[in-house]
Amino acid sequence: MSAPTEHDLDVLIVGGGPAGTMLALELAIQGINFRIIDKSLQRSDKSRALIIQPRSFEVMDRHGDARKLYEKGNLTGGPMAWMKNKPVVDVDVRSVANHRDSQFGLPCLVSQADTEAYLDNCLKERYGREVERGLEATNIVQGDLDVDVTLRDVHDGVEQKIRAKYVVGADGAHSVVRKSSSHIKFEGAQYPQEFIMCDATIEGLTLPIDRYHLLLETGLQVIQPMAEGWVRIMAYRTEPSNVEPTLDEMRAAVEGRIPGGGKITNATWLTNFRLHHRIVNSYRDGRLFIVGDAAHIHSPVGGQGLNTSMQDSLNLGWKLASVVRGERLDSFLDTFDAERRPIGQELIAKTDKTFNFLSMTNPLSVYLRNLAIPWIAPWFASKDKLETIYSFMSQFGINYRESSLTHSDTSFTGPVMPGDRAPDGDVDVGGEINRLHKILAPESFNFVLFSGSLRAGTEVEEMERAAAKFEETNEEKARVHIVVQERDGKYMYSHRLHNTYGFSNPGFAYIRPDGYVAAIGTLGHFDEFMAWLN
């Protein structure tokens, strides 16, 4: 029997962008010994990924007050497509937005610099940790029990060798961690088009600023209004050159096509880029994991990239923590790939299909598309289609219903199913209004009992008996919460949450640390749930 291996730390996170910092936050709240490094000396001040989806704000709200960031940006109701200065497709999700069980109903356009500053502040102020800058991982070699990593200081070239139980690559499309694996392949291709982009103001702009705009007649141009009068402008480059654009080129590409007119002024961050659609064949290789752009890159259609990256980290954080603490076997970490890669694959497929439709350049294809758009436009305005678009776009619709980590009460047919996001809502706690998501402990499982919307008078006793029985074998150290339909001063009160979760009679929801429902059902099936849990 070999001697135990000494580790310098449990987890090394390579890459201090939103994905890496979100993982650091999740590990910090779990009390895990980690380091997070980034080779850049400072954060970029460029706006980069703009659209933050509602579910991402909920995730960030676990570690601070995300409403401050939400209020800093520009809320958007979705895209409008234009041809010949006329709107031809209007995807306005405001009528179906989830204001019922979330504080964050709409997508928000906010500079990535502001998003990163918020995450950094949460990490420092709440947990006393920071991204270690100016450090790069130059060599990563994993063994059966650990990972040996060489770190290099970009200032003076001094190297240090450390040993970690696990290494997570949040280091982008050119991930060093991914390239250190002989098993992980980054499969996909580059799109043929080249684009130019800038942040600017548009003098005389009359387009609605609570929407973002796709100009489709030939090629693809995009105008995304941000806060304080700034807009993001992206345009197809008709003659690829791989040379940084000029203001004159941007004006020539866009100004004549802005509905209602406008002149581009105060342009900053002029740049050119190409897009890719790629995804890895596995999010895990032994003790190496990858999240965010290191695992999947795609077109910016729908504003999903940064959001999906943070969801990767949310999923991985509590799982790493439970294995590091010895609560679960290492094989439990396979559920990270099993749950997250299908979502990445679906995202790549949907964004690829939509991007190819919007950005086509073949004259005949463009002509036929433009001919068809007025005929298909009403379909996008239907309530059912808007709800489908919103569910995908907001990321509220992401679920793990097929996961091995869920338990289904086959008799329960409520609106919330095992694997779904746990809905939020107002709760009265001792006369003070709070939110359920703020009550749920983000570092542990939560066992929530609901009295149901019907009032027979025996619900509290039933829930108390169930809570006592649950506590007898509570190996997960889950927090227990009771939500009642009538104020009694003892338990949380909510009028709406019972119906939101689908309980007319007493029931329960067993909620994972990442805020997804592992099991849900009526108290009539409580023993069945306990048998599964044990």
Side-chain angles (χ1 to χ4, degrees):
M1 182 175 176
S2 60
T5 302
E6 287 191 18
H7 301 93
D8 297 300
L9 66 159
D10 295 322
V11 181
L12 173 68
I13 305 168
V14 181
T21 311
M22 177 54 66
L23 181 58
L25 288 164
E26 291 296 315
L27 294 178
I29 203 169
Q30 295 281 354
I32 298 302
N33 179 18
F34 73 91
R35 290 176 67 181
I36 176 171
I37 66 168
D38 196 288
K39 65 182 180 181
S40 63
L41 298 177
Q42 60 186 15
R43 291 283 191 195
S44 169
D45 62 353
K46 304 299 186 291
S47 59
R48 291 162 293 150
L50 278 183
I51 301 180
I52 307 297
Q53 299 296 348
R55 178 59 182 147
S56 295
F57 280 104
E58 288 187 342
V59 172
M60 291 190 287
D61 200 51
R62 293 158 61 89
H63 303 284
D65 183 2
R67 288 209 64 85
K68 294 178 180 178
L69 181 64
Y70 193 63
E71 292 166 356
K72 195 169 187 175
N74 183 44
L75 300 184
T76 179
M80 294 180 70
W82 299 74
M83 291 194 306
K84 297 180 180 178
N85 291 326
K86 295 180 180 179
V88 290
V89 179
D90 187 0
V91 183
D92 189 349
V93 300
R94 288 175 293 188
S95 62
V96 297
N98 180 14
H99 297 291
R100 179 174 53 88
D101 65 63
S102 179
Q103 297 183 81
F104 311 101
L106 289 172
C108 181
L109 275 70
V110 60
S111 168
Q112 185 172 329
D114 291 329
T115 301
E116 291 177 342
Y118 169 83
L119 295 172
D120 279 347
N121 186 67
C122 290
L123 188 61
K124 185 175 183 179
E125 296 299 320
R126 181 158 293 197
Y127 307 111
R129 301 298 302 274
E130 293 182 272
V131 177
E132 297 178 52
R133 298 207 161 273
L135 282 178
E136 63 175 336
T138 58
N139 192 42
I140 301 171
V141 180
Q142 69 164 318
D144 293 336
L145 300 176
D146 50 49
V147 186
D148 290 317
V149 185
T150 302
L151 303 181
R152 176 183 173 274
D153 190 314
V154 300
H155 290 283
D156 53 22
V158 173
E159 293 185 341
Q160 59 175 295
K161 296 184 185 298
I162 64 169
R163 179 169 291 173
K165 292 180 182 177
Y166 297 99
V167 173
V168 182
D171 47 345
H174 302 288
S175 170
V176 172
V177 178
R178 188 188 65 239
K179 292 175 181 177
S180 298
S181 166
S182 59
H183 300 293
I184 299 177
K185 309 301 179 187
F186 206 24
E187 299 162 341
Q190 179 179 272
Y191 290 106
Q193 301 94 333
E194 183 184 352
F195 291 88
I196 55 176
M197 182 175 70
C198 73
D199 291 345
T201 56
I202 300 181
E203 189 178 299
L205 182 69
T206 59
L207 290 173
I209 63 170
D210 56 358
R211 310 296 297 283
Y212 56 95
H213 306 276
L214 314 176
L215 315 182
L216 294 180
E217 193 171 348
T218 57
L220 174 64
Q221 280 77 29
V222 181
I223 296 176
Q224 296 173 301
M226 299 186 287
E228 300 178 350
W230 289 91
V231 296
R232 161 73 57 79
I233 304 170
M234 187 181 87
Y236 164 65
R237 201 174 214 173
T238 55
E239 297 181 6
S241 67
N242 292 320
V243 174
E244 285 193 5
T246 63
L247 178 57
D248 287 340
E249 182 184 5
M250 184 63 74
R251 283 172 169 167
V254 177
E255 282 188 350
R257 297 181 57 190
I258 301 174
K263 182 179 180 180
I264 300 173
T265 57
N266 301 320
T268 64
W269 190 40
L270 285 150
T271 189
N272 62 303
F273 63 95
R274 292 177 182 268
L275 297 168
H276 297 249
H277 51 107
R278 301 181 188 274
I279 188 168
V280 293
N281 60 331
S282 176
Y283 284 23
R284 178 189 191 187
D285 174 17
R287 295 182 172 273
L288 305 181
F289 295 84
I290 48 175
V291 296
D293 287 354
H296 46 77
I297 53 175
H298 47 83
S299 83
V301 169
Q304 297 296 299
L306 182 151
N307 302 275
T308 304
S309 299
M310 288 197 288
Q311 288 269 12
D312 289 343
S313 297
L314 176 70
N315 186 281
L316 180 59
W318 70 276
K319 294 176 179 179
L320 274 173
S322 66
V323 172
V324 165
R325 286 195 295 259
E327 298 165 356
R328 288 181 172 84
L329 298 176
D330 178 83
S331 59
F332 179 69
L333 294 170
D334 291 339
T335 64
F336 170 59
D337 178 79
E339 289 187 341
R340 290 303 300 171
R341 194 158 61 91
I343 289 169
Q345 289 172 320
E346 181 184 15
L347 176 62
I348 295 288
K350 286 184 175 179
T351 56
D352 183 57
K353 183 178 179 180
T354 304
F355 180 74
N356 283 329
F357 179 77
L358 294 174
S359 64
M360 58 180 62
T361 57
N362 177 276
L364 178 59
S365 298
V366 171
Y367 171 77
L368 293 174
R369 180 201 65 186
N370 294 351
L371 202 62
I373 282 178
W375 294 93
I376 64 175
W379 181 64
F380 286 98
S382 69
K383 186 172 185 292
D384 287 347
K385 185 59 180 175
L386 286 174
E387 287 177 343
T388 300
I389 292 172
Y390 177 76
S391 176
F392 170 76
M393 183 173 69
S394 66
Q395 298 203 346
F396 285 144
I398 288 174
N399 67 76
Y400 307 120
R401 291 185 180 183
E402 303 302 317
S403 172
S404 62
L405 305 183
T406 60
H407 168 71
S408 178
D409 170 359
T410 55
S411 68
F412 184 74
T413 56
V416 180
M417 300 302 291
D420 288 355
R421 159 192 168 269
D424 194 15
D426 285 339
V427 290
D428 184 320
V429 184
E432 294 186 5
I433 301 301
N434 207 330
R435 302 286 298 184
L436 180 63
H437 280 189
K438 284 293 189 182
I439 299 295
L440 299 179
E443 71 275 14
S444 67
F445 278 81
N446 291 268
F447 182 61
V448 188
L449 289 152
F450 295 87
S451 65
S453 56
L454 301 179
R455 304 173 188 175
T458 60
E459 296 87 359
V460 172
E461 290 82 0
E462 289 181 60
M463 291 189 296
E464 288 177 338
R465 285 195 297 271
K469 189 172 182 179
F470 176 82
E471 289 282 26
E472 290 175 3
T473 56
N474 183 10
E475 294 183 2
E476 299 279 6
K477 299 181 176 60
R479 304 284 184 89
V480 179
H481 312 271
I482 291 178
V483 184
V484 296
Q485 176 72 4
E486 292 185 321
R487 288 186 176 90
D488 63 2
K490 183 178 181 181
Y491 296 119
M492 282 191 291
Y493 161 79
S494 174
H495 177 71
R496 177 176 288 178
L497 277 175
H498 307 274
N499 288 328
T500 299
Y501 277 79
F503 293 119
S504 54
N505 294 306
F508 65 89
Y510 192 55
I511 301 172
R512 302 176 355 170
D514 60 357
Y516 286 83
V517 177
I520 189 168
T522 61
L523 281 189
H525 290 261
F526 175 71
D527 289 341
E528 179 185 324
F529 159 70
M530 289 299 293
W532 168 79
L533 188 63
N534 293 326

